[in-house]
Amino acid sequence: MDTTELQTKLASLNHLTPSQHEWLQRLLFQLAFNDSTQIHATGAEGSGKSTLAMAVAELFSGQYNVAMLNPPADDVKAQQQLMQQWFGNVWQADMPLAAQIGVQSSSLPLLLIIDDAERFSATLLQQVAALPCVLFCFSANKVADEGLVLTLGQITTADAEYLLQQENLNSIEIAQRLASADGNLHKLMHAPLDMEAADSTDSKPQRFRVSAKQSVAAVAGLLIIAMLAFMLWPQPQKKAVRIPVSKPVETLVQQAELPVVADIKAAEAESVAQIMQPTSEELMATDTVEPDSVSPDHNATDIAETEIAEDIQISTPAAYPELVTEPEPVADYLFDEQQLLLIDKQQVALQLAVLSSDAALQRFKLAYPQLQTLTYQRSWQGKMQLVLLLAPFSDAAAAKAERDKLPEALRATGPFVKTIQSIQAEVKAQQRSRQNAGTE
């Protein structure tokens, strides 16, 4: 999809928050390189889904014939609204919706936006998913298995400053409002306390003072009772206790060895814990979360466990010659996986995009021929993805400096720093999956 005109129009939408602008930038980037006709925008209550749904309608109105469904509406009313909004015609109850739309003519391609999609029936969602249109579903959770998923992010401080600029609040007050809103734009726009709640607090200090006096008196009474009970309670008679003069030598040796064994085990546990903890450089390199494509199967702990297992596997044959195994066959990689595996795992990369097909990859390279990217393949939720990188960089600072030099349209999509170690783990996992599939 050519998004040049849409990018220009997006810049004129001044009523959106900074994070909403960023989300729409990510959307246009994905549509420019991926052939997606179903887009799912997911976010919690109050995250701004309805605002973005209206913004999408406004943004695409010049290039598409746009229709929009809002609850409450049952299946019949929804189909009536579609025929009216798209073609200005009356829906016919005795004819399937797809057949009615198939005989209509439109000078522009069709686009449908459904707000609060989870409140519509599954039957209706299946019907509209089969229509010849671009479909946007805004919901709290993904309502279908197909399509592109773009998650709405949390409200930022910049969003709060933009929305509350008319209230003349200082930075501390804005931060308090943002914290109390807990990601809900509706709560952010209203004061956290009303006048009735404020007035009700005036009588609290007096009640507190009364209860405090009563508490002090009760505690004092309990202390007096406890002292009297201690003084009057009969003391138990002491019994003779036999103290052995000496112990067998074997027992002493065993007791002397126990702390040594415990110390060794503690040291081993501490060394393993140190290995399992990510380094500060890795934490710095992964300070940005990938919103739509990071696989939960490869977190920092999993990667550390993988590296420990590999180290043990390498060192075992030297100590135990009978456990030597045949070397693994050379992997037949499709893209730049072999080159990525040769890079030092302590270095980092800059992830630019996640694409869904070879055609999308070719369009990206035509759009940015000056970038010397590396590509590897991975599996995410049962679907193949192509991940584009700039690599390697010595540290996160060098990668972020290169990110600042990228074209503005690409920089707006949110490229982020990723460790070579995690990339290699994804490459190896994909290769193991292919080998297992081949043996079955």
Side-chain angles (χ1 to χ4, degrees):
M1 178 188 298
D2 185 4
T3 61
T4 305
E5 183 178 345
L6 296 173
Q7 290 280 0
T8 303
K9 192 173 181 178
L10 175 58
S12 65
L13 300 182
N14 298 322
H15 62 282
L16 302 174
T17 66
S19 63
Q20 289 171 343
H21 263 284
E22 181 184 354
W23 186 90
L24 289 169
Q25 287 280 8
R26 286 195 289 132
L27 168 66
L28 296 182
F29 177 83
Q30 293 289 345
L31 294 180
F33 298 104
N34 291 298
D35 301 323
S36 298
T37 57
Q38 294 186 29
I39 297 92
H40 301 274
T42 61
E45 180 182 359
S47 59
K49 297 188 296 294
S50 298
T51 301
L52 281 172
M54 294 297 297
V56 169
E58 182 179 358
L59 189 61
F60 286 83
S61 60
Q63 298 183 4
Y64 286 84
N65 184 354
V66 178
M68 188 170 184
L69 296 179
N70 296 282
D74 56 23
D75 291 7
V76 173
K77 290 182 179 179
Q79 295 178 77
Q80 291 174 345
Q81 291 176 10
L82 285 182
M83 291 299 296
Q84 179 62 36
Q85 293 182 36
W86 270 339
F87 311 109
N89 293 340
V90 178
W91 173 72
Q92 302 177 24
D94 58 347
M95 188 176 181
L97 177 63
Q100 295 183 54
I101 292 177
V103 298
Q104 302 293 331
S105 61
S106 175
S107 59
L108 295 174
L110 303 179
L111 185 144
L112 173 59
I113 301 170
I114 304 180
D115 193 15
D116 289 335
E118 70 274 11
R119 297 175 61 183
F120 291 88
S121 70
T123 302
L124 177 66
L125 294 176
Q126 291 176 356
Q127 288 180 332
V128 298
L131 297 178
C133 68
V134 177
L135 175 63
F136 284 85
C137 289
F138 290 81
S139 61
N141 299 294
K142 186 180 178 183
V143 294
D145 295 330
E146 299 296 329
L148 173 68
V149 180
L150 293 177
T151 305
L152 276 66
Q154 288 286 335
I155 308 171
T156 65
T157 303
D159 296 336
E161 292 175 350
Y162 175 81
L163 295 171
L164 302 175
Q165 57 184 331
Q166 301 299 328
E167 300 190 25
N168 297 322
L169 302 176
N170 58 42
S171 58
I172 296 177
E173 292 170 332
I174 291 176
Q176 291 174 343
R177 289 277 288 271
L178 183 61
S180 63
D182 192 24
N184 193 312
L185 287 171
H186 306 297
K187 294 180 180 179
L188 178 69
M189 297 299 293
H190 297 83
L193 294 175
D194 55 19
M195 294 301 295
E196 181 180 357
D199 294 338
S200 65
T201 58
D202 295 339
S203 59
K204 288 183 179 179
Q206 183 177 359
R207 291 197 301 267
F208 175 78
R209 286 193 295 270
V210 173
S211 61
K213 292 179 179 179
Q214 294 173 348
S215 300
V216 170
V219 171
L222 290 175
L223 288 175
I224 293 173
I225 294 173
M227 293 175 63
L228 291 175
F230 178 79
M231 290 185 294
L232 298 177
W233 196 268
Q235 296 294 329
Q237 296 181 356
K238 295 184 179 180
K239 296 182 179 180
V241 179
R242 180 177 179 271
I243 301 177
V245 176
S246 61
K247 295 184 179 181
V249 177
E250 294 82 358
T251 304
L252 294 176
V253 172
Q254 291 176 359
Q255 292 181 351
E257 290 177 350
L258 286 177
V260 177
V261 176
D263 291 342
I264 294 174
K265 292 183 178 180
E268 291 176 349
E270 182 179 359
S271 63
V272 172
Q274 291 175 352
I275 295 174
M276 295 295 291
Q277 291 293 328
T279 63
S280 59
E281 181 178 349
E282 291 172 353
L283 292 174
M284 184 190 309
T286 56
D287 59 349
T288 305
V289 178
E290 182 177 3
D292 304 308
S293 60
V294 174
S295 171
D297 298 333
H298 302 292
N299 54 33
T301 305
D302 293 338
I303 295 169
E305 291 174 349
T306 302
E307 296 302 328
I308 293 173
E310 291 174 355
D311 293 341
I312 295 174
Q313 186 175 1
I314 293 172
S315 61
T316 298
Y320 306 97
E322 66 275 8
L323 298 180
V324 175
T325 58
E326 294 295 329
E328 295 184 359
V330 178
D332 51 339
Y333 294 110
L334 301 178
F335 296 95
D336 303 312
E337 290 89 349
Q338 193 64 50
Q339 183 175 348
L340 289 168
L341 290 174
L342 296 176
I343 299 176
D344 184 357
K345 66 182 180 181
Q346 300 299 327
Q347 295 182 316
V348 299
L350 188 63
Q351 179 165 313
L352 301 178
V354 177
L355 306 178
S356 59
S357 64
D358 291 337
L361 175 61
Q362 295 304 319
R363 288 196 293 270
F364 183 94
K365 290 186 176 181
L366 288 175
Y368 302 102
Q370 74 278 16
L371 298 179
Q372 301 297 319
T373 59
L374 297 176
T375 306
Y376 71 93
Q377 191 179 56
R378 73 179 183 191
S379 177
W380 169 244
Q381 294 183 346
K383 297 181 181 180
M384 296 309 301
Q385 293 182 337
L386 300 179
V387 184
L388 273 69
L389 309 167
L390 289 179
F393 298 97
S394 59
D395 52 30
K400 292 178 180 178
E402 186 65 26
R403 180 178 61 186
D404 295 338
K405 300 177 184 178
L406 294 174
E408 182 178 358
L410 184 57
R411 196 167 60 247
T413 63
F416 66 96
V417 179
K418 190 172 184 177
T419 63
I420 294 295
Q421 184 178 7
S422 64
I423 293 170
Q424 292 174 348
E426 291 183 351
V427 170
K428 294 175 182 178
Q430 175 62 23
Q431 181 60 21
R432 286 193 296 269
S433 177
R434 289 179 61 190
Q435 291 176 349
N436 293 336
T439 55
E440 295 176 358

